Amino acid sequence: MTRTCWLPLLLLAIATVPLAAQDNYEVQVYGAELVPVGRTIFELHSNYTANGSRVATGGISPSYHALHETLEITHGFTDWFEIGFYAFAAVPKGGGLEYVGNHIRPRVSVPQRWNWPVGLSLSQEVGYQRRAFAEDSWSWEIRPIIDQQIGRFYWAVNPTVEVALKGENAGKGVEFAPNVQVNLDVSRGLNIALEYYGGLGKLNNLLPASQTDQQLIPAINIDFGPDWEFNLGTGIALTPNTDRLAFKMIVGRRIGRAPGGAK
């Protein structure tokens, strides 16, 4: 079956699966590989909650029928360093487009030329979000990244921790929010994935399972060429504390040329 024939069938299959949504504006498990030197990728992250919280909790806008949009721009400066910038926006149910905040994300990585058996990198993301959309207006995320490609199989682990710098949770400890992904190439242009996202509470005082946020997202990645990125997914709530139905999509476009003129 051609790549074009795969797409509508997979979109239909994914759209029929219940999902537990995160409040995150970027639902993605990171791989260790950086944007190539001299190139820039523009990514649009779209997350829509079809069945979530219907009332404001703690002053936070409800997630029910809310659309979250994030523009991510990342540039590769060296084979071990990149910087990403985020602009967050939201469209609450019945409302118009609202500005949410901005983050900046420097990341370092072990260069691929070292030929290590696994990929290793470290991302640090700092930024601001409006109080109507987050309990903490300033936050700091520290994301170690470990991954490996084994033939057609790929895995990545992000044991992420989050620190509130200003807001309701400032000074109350470090949040543990691990992410995991396993992928399989099923054809030259199609990759299927299972992604896990967790919010497990403070590192020194993890929450009971029923009070955590946890979800599994079956997803697909379609190869439209080396300059493009496409990811589409929906998933399954693992705990009652997680929104029940949502969808996520990432569309990315790489531009620019590496030193020497190579793409």
Side-chain angles (χ1 to χ4, degrees), residues 32 34 80-82 106-110 120-124 145:
L34 303 184
W80 58 269
F81 178 66
E82 70 178 23
R107 182 151 73 109
V108 296
S109 181
V110 172
L120 293 175
S121 71
L122 179 66
S123 167
Q124 298 196 66
I145 302 159

Side-chain angles (χ1 to χ4, degrees), residues 162-200:
E162 301 169 353
V163 180
L165 302 178
K166 183 178 180 181
E168 297 294 321
N169 298 297
K172 295 182 180 180
V174 177
E175 295 280 343
F176 184 45
N179 303 331
V180 179
Q181 175 179 244
V182 291
N183 291 19
L184 179 67
D185 295 327
V186 297
S187 71
R188 188 177 69 175
L190 177 65
N191 173 281
I192 58 174
L194 186 63
E195 303 171 4
Y196 166 82
Y197 299 90
L200 307 185

Side-chain angles (χ1 to χ4, degrees), residues 23 53 55-57 59-64 66 68 92-93 98 131-134:
D23 290 335
S53 61
V55 296
T57 304
I60 306 301
S61 177
S63 62
Y64 178 70
H68 291 171
K93 182 179 184 297
E98 296 191 42
R131 180 63 180 83
F133 297 96

Side-chain angles (χ1 to χ4, degrees), residues 23-244:
D23 290 335
N24 292 350
Y25 287 74
E26 183 206 14
V27 183
Q28 182 179 26
V29 180
Y30 279 54
E33 184 178 2
L34 303 184
V35 174
V37 179
R39 304 208 71 192
T40 302
I41 182 169
F42 293 80
E43 293 177 288
L44 181 65
H45 300 257
S46 302
N47 302 296
Y48 177 74
T49 304
N51 187 355
S53 61
R54 294 174 181 254
V55 296
T57 304
I60 306 301
S61 177
S63 62
Y64 178 70
H65 282 195
L67 174 65
H68 291 171
E69 296 284 359
T70 298
L71 174 64
E72 177 185 357
I73 305 171
T74 306
H75 183 77
F77 288 92
T78 72
D79 65 353
W80 58 269
F81 178 66
E82 70 178 23
I83 291 181
F85 171 82
Y86 300 88
F88 305 120
V91 182
K93 182 179 184 297
L97 184 67
E98 296 191 42
Y99 165 74
V100 174
N102 296 98
H103 284 187
I104 190 167
R105 177 186 53 76
R107 182 151 73 109
V108 296
S109 181
V110 172
Q112 291 187 333
R113 55 187 163 84
W114 289 12
N115 295 316
W116 281 26
V118 297
L120 293 175
S121 71
L122 179 66
S123 167
Q124 298 196 66
E125 185 175 326
V126 179
Y128 165 81
Q129 286 182 270
R130 288 175 54 206
R131 180 63 180 83
F133 297 96
E135 289 184 345
D136 304 305
S137 55
W138 285 90
S139 61
W140 174 27
E141 176 191 276
I142 305 167
R143 183 187 295 255
I145 302 159
I146 310 161
D147 73 354
Q148 186 179 40
Q149 184 79 45
I150 307 171
R152 296 189 301 144
F153 175 76
Y154 170 84
W155 61 266
V157 177
N158 300 174
T160 308
V161 294
E162 301 169 353
V163 180
L165 302 178
K166 183 178 180 181
E168 297 294 321
N169 298 297
K172 295 182 180 180
V174 177
E175 295 280 343
F176 184 45
N179 303 331
V180 179
Q181 175 179 244
V182 291
N183 291 19
L184 179 67
D185 295 327
V186 297
S187 71
R188 188 177 69 175
L190 177 65
N191 173 281
I192 58 174
L194 186 63
E195 303 171 4
Y196 166 82
Y197 299 90
L200 307 185
K202 307 297 183 186
L203 266 177
N204 62 349
N205 186 23
L206 296 179
L207 293 169
S210 62
Q211 297 177 29
T212 61
D213 291 311
Q214 297 190 63
Q215 64 175 352
L216 283 177
I217 299 183
I220 59 170
N221 299 287
I222 299 178
D223 182 6
F224 291 112
D227 292 335
W228 290 93
E229 175 180 310
F230 182 83
N231 171 270
L232 182 70
T234 186
I236 302 164
L238 299 180
T239 66
N241 203 45
T242 311
D243 289 343
R244 295 193 56 79

